[in-house]
């Protein structure tokens, strides 16, 4: 028998979506490594409107932990600062490198969302993935969620969004209420 899951979620990318990503080369960005670099986007406060109906769950690739470029301490600090602004239900992190063969979680691989689905009994077709990169959009499409690309300074030029067509594009989280009821 198939059990219908009732809970809904908004899956959120972290770097470049909730906080400013730091440019490292033409198309590559990294997380902030220290307090001076950390900037949480103001408009994420609008996510609070949805936290009664949706679990706000972060899904984030964090390969720099393994590379030794980011510390666990600062990575946790970032997460805790975000939690002070919006009620985050859970955080799923992939700490693998993109090239690892037996990793199933590096976005757009789907493990983080599938784990969240199981843990919180989430109906994915009624859930959303919001992010700033094609990886987030692809992840959402593969898992049957609705997809929202948030335009931030760093992704305006990324052409890939034209290939990985998101269901919606927003300039700011303020605009979310037009999309999510
Ligand atoms: Mg991102
Ligand atoms: Zn992984």
């Amino acid at each position: 028998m198939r059990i219908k899951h009732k809970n809904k979620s908004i899956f959120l990318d972290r770097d470049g979506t909730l906080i400013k990503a730091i440019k490292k080369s033409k198309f590559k960005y990294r997380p902030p490594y220290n307090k001076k670099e950390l900037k949480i986007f103001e408009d994420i406060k609008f996510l609070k409107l949805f936290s009664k109906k949706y679990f706000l769950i972060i899904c984030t690739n964090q390969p720099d932990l393994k590379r030794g470029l980011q510390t666990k301490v600062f990575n946790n600090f970032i997460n805790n600062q975000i939690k002070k602004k919006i009620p985050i239900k859970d955080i799923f992190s992939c700490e693998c490198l993109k090239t690892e063969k037996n990793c199933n979680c590096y976005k757009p691989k789907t493990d983080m969302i599938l784990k969240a689905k199981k843990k919180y009994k989430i109906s994915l077709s009624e859930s959303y993935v919001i992010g700033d990169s094609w990886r987030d959009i692809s992840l959402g499409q593969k898992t049957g969620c609705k997809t929202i690309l948030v335009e931030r300074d760093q992704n305006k030029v990324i052409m890939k969004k034209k290939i990985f067509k998101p269901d919606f594009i927003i300039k700011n989280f303020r605009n979310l209420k037009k999309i999510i009821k």
Side-chain angles (χ1 to χ4, degrees), residues 91-104:
I91 298 177
F92 291 80
S93 287
C94 167
E95 296 178 13
C96 311
L97 303 176
K98 185 164 60 182
T99 48
E100 273 173 64
K101 278 237 164 63
N102 41 19
C103 158
N104 295 311

Side-chain angles (χ1 to χ4, degrees), residues 108-125:
K109 292 174 184 166
T110 54
D111 240 33
M112 292 191 279
I113 283 191
L114 297 182
K115 279 195 180 132
K117 174 191 170 172
K118 209 168 166 193
K119 186 170 177 186
Y120 296 108
K121 307 203 182 328
I122 292 166
S123 162
L124 295 182
S125 63

Side-chain angles (χ1 to χ4, degrees), residues 11-18 58-60 107 130-132 136:
F11 297 104
L12 296 159
D13 171 51
R14 193 190 76 180
D15 305 335
T17 298
L18 303 180
I58 292 176
C59 293
T60 175
K107 294 184 285 185
I130 307 180
D132 69 316
D136 308 305

